């Protein structure tokens, strides 16, 4: 996983990678905390799959409130999984697979989280990842997704772009770094509008879909199977 477009480094120090994430995703820790809060207000999870886990930041926070949960972390990057294992230890399960082809049986987990990990997929890949999340989730299980969100108008995009640029500048990026980062929108990652996110989740079979977070360029949704 390269969260919100921050390129994976070869064997990155975990503190450097995590610092980079926080410098490009506004309110990143709040995003994780809100995602966990949604899960815990739906049920007490027994089996929790974190798809595109990166360096394990979500699970690191989640185990504080859910210490008896069995966590599985999945990521396509061996480097990210290695860092996650270093942070979290060997008591959890780690799987080096893509989110569009997961090595689990149907109904394997009562909770699935997918945090900033599928925005590089175009339409077909994105739907495939959602179908896999649906497949491995148990009945009445919950999927929590946070993802980049597209603006609904050109004027809205201008405001969102300006807000994000101000944030990036506040994190020490220079003008050129900001422009290079912002210009990846729609060319290297593919955000969807809130309506598209909802319709795609419903299309793969989720019976209830709700927005729980909308901040800067990220949207948070939960879906009940």
């Amino acid at each position: 996983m390269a969260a919100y477009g921050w390129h994976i480094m070869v064997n990155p120090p975990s503190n450097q990678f995590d610092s980079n994430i926080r410098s490009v995703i506004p309110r990143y820790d709040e995003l994780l905390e809100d995602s966990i809060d949604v899960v815990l207000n739906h049920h007490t999870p027994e089996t929790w799959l974190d798809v595109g886990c990166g360096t394990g930041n979500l699970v690191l926070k989640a185990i504080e409130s859910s210490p008896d949960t069995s966590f599985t972390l999945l990521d396509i990057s061996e480097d990210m999984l290695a860092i996650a294992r270093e942070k979290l230890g060997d008591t959890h399960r780690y799987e080096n697979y893509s989110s569009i082809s997961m090595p689990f049986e149907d109904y394997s987990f009562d909770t699935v989280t997918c945090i900033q990990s599928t925005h590089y997929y175009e339409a077909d890949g994105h739907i495939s990842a959602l179908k896999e999340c649906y497949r491995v989730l148990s009945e009445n299980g919950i999927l929590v997704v946070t993802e980049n969100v597209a603006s609904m108008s050109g004027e809205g995009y201008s405001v969102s772009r300006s807000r994000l640029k101000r944030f990036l500048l506040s994190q020490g990026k220079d003008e050129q770094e900001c422009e290079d980062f912002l210009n990846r929108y729609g060319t290297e990652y593919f955000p969807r509008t809130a309506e598209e996110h909802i319709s795609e989740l419903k299309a793969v079979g989720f019976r209830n879909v709700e927005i729980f977070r909308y901040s800067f360029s990220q949207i948070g949704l939960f879906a009940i199977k």
Side-chain angles (χ1 to χ4, degrees), residues 36 58-69 71 88 92:
I36 295 164
L58 178 83
V59 174
L60 187 65
K61 286 183 177 289
I63 57 178
E64 297 175 6
S65 303
S66 196
D68 297 325
T69 299
F71 287 97
L88 296 164
H92 310 292

Side-chain angles (χ1 to χ4, degrees), residues 102 104-107 131-137 225:
M102 295 194 278
F104 312 118
E105 295 185 1
D106 298 354
Y107 313 111
K131 285 181 177 178
E132 277 290 87
C133 290
Y134 183 87
R135 179 184 67 79
V136 303
L137 193 62
K225 183 171 180 178

Side-chain angles (χ1 to χ4, degrees), residues 42-43 109-111 137-143 206 223-225:
H42 174 64
H43 61 197
F109 304 94
D110 61 32
T111 302
L137 193 62
S138 61
E139 292 298 327
N140 201 44
I142 187 170
L143 168 68
F206 287 98
I224 309 298
K225 183 171 180 178

Side-chain angles (χ1 to χ4, degrees), residues 121-128 190 192 200:
Y121 290 129
E122 297 190 59
D124 289 347
H126 193 261
I127 289 291
S128 294
F190 303 94
R192 293 151 180 81
E200 288 179 350

Side-chain angles (χ1 to χ4, degrees), residues 57-217:
N57 288 327
L58 178 83
V59 174
L60 187 65
K61 286 183 177 289
I63 57 178
E64 297 175 6
S65 303
S66 196
D68 297 325
T69 299
S70 174
F71 287 97
T72 299
L73 295 86
L74 178 141
D75 202 282
I76 198 170
S77 167
E78 292 183 2
D79 292 335
M80 295 295 99
L81 282 175
I83 296 169
R85 186 188 294 271
E86 181 181 341
K87 290 162 99 173
L88 296 164
D90 293 326
T91 57
H92 310 292
R93 180 179 177 185
Y94 301 88
E95 296 288 353
N96 180 211
Y97 286 89
S98 165
S99 57
I100 63 175
S101 182
M102 295 194 278
F104 312 118
E105 295 185 1
D106 298 354
Y107 313 111
S108 293
F109 304 94
D110 61 32
T111 302
V112 177
T113 45
C114 195
I115 307 300
Q116 297 299 122
S117 66
T118 60
H119 52 274
Y120 287 109
Y121 290 129
E122 297 190 59
D124 289 347
H126 193 261
I127 289 291
S128 294
L130 293 180
K131 285 181 177 178
E132 277 290 87
C133 290
Y134 183 87
R135 179 184 67 79
V136 303
L137 193 62
S138 61
E139 292 298 327
N140 201 44
I142 187 170
L143 168 68
V144 173
V145 177
T146 74
E147 201 48 273
N148 292 355
V149 62
S151 301
M152 293 181 289
S153 67
E155 188 173 23
Y157 172 70
S158 179
V159 172
S160 295
R161 182 184 173 100
S162 178
R163 291 187 72 205
L164 185 53
K165 182 175 181 179
R166 285 176 181 269
F167 173 78
L168 295 172
L169 289 169
S170 77
Q171 299 300 304
K173 307 290 187 291
D174 63 31
E175 285 283 341
Q176 190 58 55
E177 287 175 319
C178 291
E179 289 302 313
D180 290 344
F181 185 82
L182 294 167
N183 288 339
R184 300 172 70 250
Y185 180 104
T187 60
E188 295 184 38
Y189 66 92
F190 303 94
R192 293 151 180 81
T193 65
E195 290 82 357
E196 288 171 330
H197 280 292
I198 292 169
S199 66
E200 288 179 350
L201 286 163
K202 288 184 174 180
V204 303
F206 287 98
R207 63 179 173 81
N208 187 35
V209 181
E210 300 281 352
I211 296 172
F212 70 89
R213 180 182 179 87
Y214 205 130
S215 176
F216 281 80
S217 300

Side-chain angles (χ1 to χ4, degrees), residues 38-57:
V38 167
V39 170
L40 297 180
N41 278 281
H42 174 64
H43 61 197
T44 300
E46 295 183 5
T47 53
W48 186 327
L49 170 66
D50 190 27
V51 176
C53 66
T55 63
N57 288 327

